[in-house]
Amino acid sequence: MTDRSESSSESSSASLSAALSQQIRTRIEAAGGWLGFDSFMALALYSPGLGYYANERPKFGNMPASGSDFVTAPEISPAFGRLLAAQVAEALERTGTREVWEFGAGTGALAEQLLGALGDQVERYTIVDLSGSLRARQKERLAPFAHKLHWADALPQAIEGVVVGNEVLDAMPVQLLMRKKGQWFERGVVWNDGFGWEDRPTTLRPPLEIDGPQDYLTEIHAQGEAFVRTLGERLVRGAAFLIDYGFGEDEYYHPQRHMGTLVCHRAHRMDDDPLVDLGLKDITAHVNFTGIAVAAQEAGMDLLGYTTQAHFLINCGLLQQLEQMPQGARAMAAKLMMEHEMGELFKVIGLSRGVEPWPALGFVQGDRTHRL
């Protein structure tokens, strides 16, 4: 019975991947035989019904046995949402607003934690998520809060409230730039009895000069930065807290980071080949937080702070919560701040607009704004 079930699942996955591959191959042909990697990544992740985030396959979970590919902080420990809620509560009070907007809510775990912790401070909780299958899971999980919940497919023209996004920016399509023998190329995807790479000369450049003569592969984040600009333009009054793995610009484009940051996740393993198993694995790149901060400020937002996830959660009361937890829960929550787990690589950036900036709780110690 198990073998038959596994065989059926493998067949279904192969069919999904083949259908998505054919769709992308058609797009490449329509584009003249070459497709920029950002367009390829968008199709691989978001093609309706087939893309990684648009299909029915499981994605989030603690163990590969669940069929999941990776785990996010809210699934590791409910303490994550409770601690973030302390910062959100302060921001709601400072901005005089009663609505929370969450982008890319995944399984609904973070929404459940925030809604449970914030109580009557939140009158309305709006989830912006492009995935129909995830939306169904969110509605089921968040049924006790149904009277506060709303879903949207896109940003409205005006927002008042507090925006949260955990691991949203890393899933936004990136362009790949390759320096070979001193000349810059944009890396795209072609079809030749299979997907392959082809580099074309470009005027695009990383935001800063990269020292050294070595060949160098990296990413630029036009779509992620455009998202933040749009958010800033439409946030009439409120704040935003974006949490993701990444670096400031100097570290992101360090001469030694010559292979870029693009990776794929499947069954809790990483690989560096986004051209295979389409629709069956996540494709992601680290975030250039300097670019995010600049885009936000260009759109009229103020920077409240930038720090590691460890410092942010400690500032919000993690150590006090750990003391009150049983041993097993404490071990899981501690992963949120451990340097070799999520504590150092993950960063938090806080932004506001339409209010006087304030010394936000999550950044009172360990602020790294000077390193952006």
Side-chain angles (χ1 to χ4, degrees):
M1 187 81 115
T2 303
D3 290 344
R4 188 179 304 163
S5 174
E6 289 178 357
S7 177
S8 174
S9 176
E10 289 173 5
S11 176
S12 173
S13 295
S15 296
L16 183 151
S17 189
L20 179 57
S21 296
Q22 181 57 53
Q23 188 176 105
I24 295 176
R25 179 182 175 184
T26 300
R27 286 288 296 272
I28 290 174
E29 291 169 352
W34 184 91
L35 199 63
F37 181 76
D38 55 334
S39 297
F40 174 89
M41 182 173 171
L43 292 167
L45 295 182
Y46 302 110
S47 290
L50 296 174
Y52 180 77
Y53 283 109
N55 65 46
E56 300 285 341
R57 296 180 69 258
K59 295 156 182 66
F60 308 90
N62 278 310
M63 300 296 289
S66 66
S68 63
D69 297 314
F70 56 87
V71 64
T72 61
E75 275 93 24
I76 290 176
S77 170
F80 180 80
R82 293 196 300 265
L83 294 163
L84 178 57
Q87 176 62 88
V88 172
E90 180 191 67
L92 288 167
E93 182 177 349
R94 287 280 186 160
T95 60
T97 58
R98 304 294 298 274
E99 182 171 8
V100 172
W101 289 76
E102 183 182 357
F103 285 83
T107 63
L110 181 57
E112 183 179 47
Q113 293 157 17
L114 288 174
L115 283 161
L118 291 168
D120 293 338
Q121 277 192 273
V122 176
E123 291 181 354
R124 181 181 172 106
Y125 195 104
T126 300
I127 292 173
V128 184
D129 211 315
L130 301 178
S131 171
S133 61
L134 287 175
R135 184 179 296 192
R137 292 181 65 186
Q138 293 158 10
K139 286 185 177 180
E140 182 179 353
R141 181 170 193 160
L142 301 173
F145 307 101
H147 60 293
K148 296 183 179 183
L149 286 169
H150 300 268
W151 278 264
D153 296 320
L155 278 171
Q157 290 302 309
I159 295 178
E160 293 191 15
V162 177
V163 175
V164 295
N166 182 53
E167 294 197 49
V168 171
L169 295 171
D170 68 84
M172 294 192 176
V174 295
Q175 291 166 286
L176 295 182
L177 298 185
M178 180 72 195
R179 184 178 69 186
K180 293 189 290 190
K181 297 181 179 178
Q183 183 177 357
W184 282 102
F185 299 83
E186 181 177 4
R187 177 156 288 185
V189 181
V190 296
W191 175 268
N192 185 14
D193 293 328
F195 294 110
W197 299 112
E198 184 178 297
D199 299 335
R200 294 189 170 185
T202 182
T203 57
L204 295 171
R205 295 290 185 274
L208 50 75
E209 287 291 327
I210 296 163
D211 293 336
Q214 73 277 18
D215 291 353
Y216 194 93
L217 177 66
T218 192
E219 309 90 24
I220 55 174
H221 300 257
Q223 290 199 33
E225 291 163 13
F227 163 76
V228 172
R229 281 192 202 93
T230 301
L231 177 62
E233 290 163 359
R234 300 187 185 185
L235 186 64
V236 177
R237 181 182 183 86
F241 300 94
L242 303 174
I243 306 155
D244 227 311
Y245 41 89
F247 315 102
E249 194 169 79
D250 288 345
E251 190 174 357
Y252 198 103
Y253 296 105
H254 192 280
Q256 292 180 351
R257 200 178 299 284
H258 66 283
M259 293 305 294
T261 72
L262 191 79
V263 294
C264 304
H265 297 271
R266 187 179 184 188
H268 296 260
R269 296 177 180 172
M270 286 196 302
D271 70 78
D272 59 1
D273 189 354
L275 304 185
V276 300
D277 298 331
L278 300 186
L280 307 181
K281 61 184 181 181
D282 190 19
I283 306 171
T284 177
H286 287 44
V287 176
N288 169 17
F289 277 101
T290 302
I292 296 303
V294 169
Q297 291 173 321
E298 288 174 350
M301 300 178 87
D302 293 304
L303 183 60
L304 294 174
Y306 166 72
T307 192
T308 64
Q309 179 173 293
H311 272 117
F312 181 85
L313 296 179
I314 290 169
N315 288 336
C316 290
L318 174 58
L319 299 182
Q320 294 90 325
Q321 285 207 19
L322 287 176
E323 292 175 0
Q324 301 167 15
M325 293 179 186
Q327 186 173 353
R330 189 185 310 144
M332 295 303 289
K335 289 185 176 185
L336 301 174
M337 70 172 184
M338 288 179 179
E339 184 174 346
H340 65 281
E341 294 279 355
M342 305 180 81
E344 177 68 25
L345 179 59
F346 278 71
K347 310 297 194 306
V348 186
I349 190 168
L351 307 162
S352 67
R353 190 169 188 225
V355 295
E356 187 68 26
W358 73 96
L361 172 67
F363 308 99
V364 291
Q365 299 289 334
D367 184 39
R368 295 188 180 183
T369 299
H370 61 285
R371 293 173 61 174
L372 286 173

